[in-house]
Amino acid sequence: MKLSEEEKQRRLRSFIRAARQAGIKLTHQRLEIFREIAGDGRHPDVESIYKRVKKRIPPLSIDTVYRTFSVLEREKVLAKVSVFCNRARFDSNMEPHHHFVCRRCGAVRDFFSHELDRFHVPEEVKPWGDVDTVYVELRGTCAECAGKASAEKTEDRRK
Amino acid sequence: MKLSEEEKQRRLRSFIRAARQAGIKLTHQRLEIFREIAGDGRHPDVESIYKRVKKRIPPLSIDTVYRTFSVLEREKVLAKVSVFCNRARFDSNMEPHHHFVCRRCGAVRDFFSHELDRFHVPEEVKPWGDVDTVYVELRGTCAECAGKASAEKTEDRRK
DNA sequence: CCTCCTGATAAGAATAAATCTTATCTAAGA
DNA sequence: TCTTAGATAAGATTTATTCTTATCAGGAGG
């Protein structure tokens, strides 16, 4: 899935704007890394971006790719797909169901939904393959963490 | 979230039945590990299960926990939460959208859905916390992999 | 109840993804 | 051009997961 040149340029401009706004340095590495994802709609992983950009910037270290991604994520220029997967979690409930996940503490709770059970796979998706599961993740902040957050207040630096 | 003793016993029986059926040995370790997750609805991770069971079986190795989980998963006794997260993937499309994910090759494709955009958070979920994102993952087999699969035929043993 | 054999286990080594450390280096404002 | 805070490369480190190998034990058959 190649993206149009137009869309790629639009994303590149939005990245440069976001970087300027956030007071973040526009290094050669960052531009090339971003250029690489902005031109690829297939959700590449770190490794493949690293390999591709390294061809153009041989001394590139993979750490720079990771750092650039976390900057881009923080600046809301790109999103991590499947965020809550640092550690495998298991579910002994084999009934089809969905999850509410807290972004802060990672807590997971199950829920069922008739509305979702009746969901129809969109026409545009059908030619891509066969869907066997509709999985929904409601992401947000659990009541407990919301309490802590209001106490700690603006403690946002993640380091 | 403690599960009822009744539900726990039901899951334990279903595990024992599945194990017998699959010709899998019902070892002390496996029973204790399963007992631990079957009694916990909070989707524990490997590490915490390991710690808890180790109290009862001190020589337990964490590898056994991993192996037991993969057996349980294969026998459809439990499911891994957030399956496609072995490697971080990124998305430069910041418009709210959803994904179709192929279980075989891990390919990800975007789609939009007005039906999902109108989704209402179920009443039962509301007291748990605030939802800011409704993320939907349609899981299945992409057309390309379906082709390969019919060629390779029943090659399902994963090791 | 005993024996045997296959599959399971413990222990520690090996891998792999992601992050940290430290000594340079550089973007960009003065 | 000069300065400096923030960025980079390289390699070490951490952390989750898997592999290796030498025992061990479940459970089928006697």
Side-chain angles (χ1 to χ4, degrees):
Chain A
M1 184 168 65
K2 253 312 187 25
L3 289 179
S4 71
E5 193 56 28
E6 188 184 9
E7 172 64 10
K8 186 173 165 178
Q9 289 306 320
R10 199 187 61 73
R11 290 186 182 179
L12 192 59
R13 278 196 304 276
S14 116
F15 163 50
I16 292 172
R17 196 183 327 118
R20 289 257 155 74
Q21 226 165 19
I24 279 172
K25 288 184 182 168
L26 275 173
T27 64
H28 182 40
Q29 288 88 336
R30 284 178 177 173
L31 276 168
E32 287 304 312
I33 290 167
F34 186 78
R35 209 187 295 278
E36 199 61 52
I37 358 172
D40 188 337
R42 291 168 307 177
H43 308 290
D45 58 24
V46 173
E47 185 69 17
S48 62
I49 289 293
Y50 171 63
K51 282 185 191 153
R52 288 191 249 160
V53 178
K54 200 174 173 67
K55 284 179 190 160
R56 281 178 274 146
I57 311 176
L60 183 75
S61 89
I62 193 156
D63 183 56
T64 298
V65 181
Y66 279 107
R67 248 180 307 103
T68 301
F69 280 143
S70 69
V71 167
L72 294 176
E73 202 189 343
R74 175 155 39 86
E75 299 309 324
K76 305 260 185 288
V77 174
L78 55 78
K80 211 187 245 175
V81 172
S82 307
V83 183
F84 298 101
C85 314
N86 302 331
R87 336 183 90 197
R89 279 168 177 271
F90 295 90
D91 193 342
S92 62
N93 178 2
M94 290 298 285
E95 306 288 311
H97 65 279
H98 309 288
H99 292 130
F100 166 80
V101 183
C102 174
R103 288 184 190 278
R104 278 178 62 103
C105 67
V108 181
R109 298 196 66 171
D110 299 348
F111 72 93
F112 299 87
S113 163
H114 290 303
E115 190 179 340
L116 291 170
D117 292 344
R118 285 195 306 270
F119 178 70
H120 290 95
V121 173
E123 287 303 321
E124 62 173 315
V125 175
K126 288 182 180 169
W128 300 348
D130 291 322
V131 172
D132 57 60
T133 310
V134 177
Y135 169 68
V136 176
E137 208 170 271
L138 300 179
R139 295 171 179 171
T141 311
C142 73
E144 204 184 332
C145 284
K148 284 185 200 156
S150 60
E152 295 172 13
K153 214 60 189 170
T154 52
E155 202 245 323
D156 196 11
R157 57 223 122 109
R158 61 207 50 164
K159 196 178 194 165
Chain B
M1 183 168 70
K2 253 313 188 28
L3 289 179
S4 70
E5 193 56 29
E6 189 183 10
E7 174 64 10
K8 187 172 165 178
Q9 289 306 321
R10 201 187 61 70
R11 290 185 182 178
L12 191 59
R13 280 196 303 277
S14 118
F15 164 49
I16 293 172
R17 196 186 325 119
R20 289 257 154 76
Q21 224 164 21
I24 279 170
K25 288 183 183 170
L26 275 174
T27 64
H28 181 41
Q29 287 89 334
R30 284 178 177 172
L31 276 168
E32 287 305 313
I33 290 167
F34 186 77
R35 209 186 295 278
E36 199 61 53
I37 359 172
D40 188 338
R42 292 168 307 176
H43 308 290
D45 59 22
V46 173
E47 187 69 16
S48 64
I49 289 293
Y50 171 63
K51 281 185 192 153
R52 289 191 248 160
V53 178
K54 200 174 173 68
K55 283 179 191 159
R56 281 178 274 146
I57 312 177
L60 184 74
S61 89
I62 194 158
D63 183 58
T64 297
V65 181
Y66 278 106
R67 250 180 304 104
T68 300
F69 280 144
S70 70
V71 166
L72 294 176
E73 202 189 344
R74 177 154 39 84
E75 300 309 323
K76 306 256 185 290
V77 174
L78 54 78
K80 213 186 242 175
V81 173
S82 308
V83 183
F84 298 103
C85 315
N86 303 330
R87 334 184 93 197
R89 279 167 175 273
F90 295 89
D91 193 342
S92 61
N93 178 1
M94 290 298 286
E95 307 288 313
H97 64 280
H98 309 287
H99 293 131
F100 166 80
V101 183
C102 174
R103 288 185 191 277
R104 277 179 62 104
C105 66
V108 181
R109 298 195 67 169
D110 298 348
F111 72 93
F112 299 87
S113 162
H114 290 303
E115 191 179 339
L116 291 171
D117 292 343
R118 283 195 306 270
F119 177 70
H120 290 95
V121 174
E123 287 303 321
E124 62 173 315
V125 175
K126 288 181 182 171
W128 300 348
D130 291 323
V131 172
D132 57 59
T133 310
V134 177
Y135 169 68
V136 177
E137 207 170 272
L138 299 179
R139 295 173 178 170
T141 312
C142 74
E144 202 183 331
C145 284
K148 284 184 198 158
S150 60
E152 295 173 11
K153 214 59 187 172
T154 51
E155 205 243 324
D156 196 11
R157 59 225 123 105
R158 61 205 51 161
K159 195 43 177 310

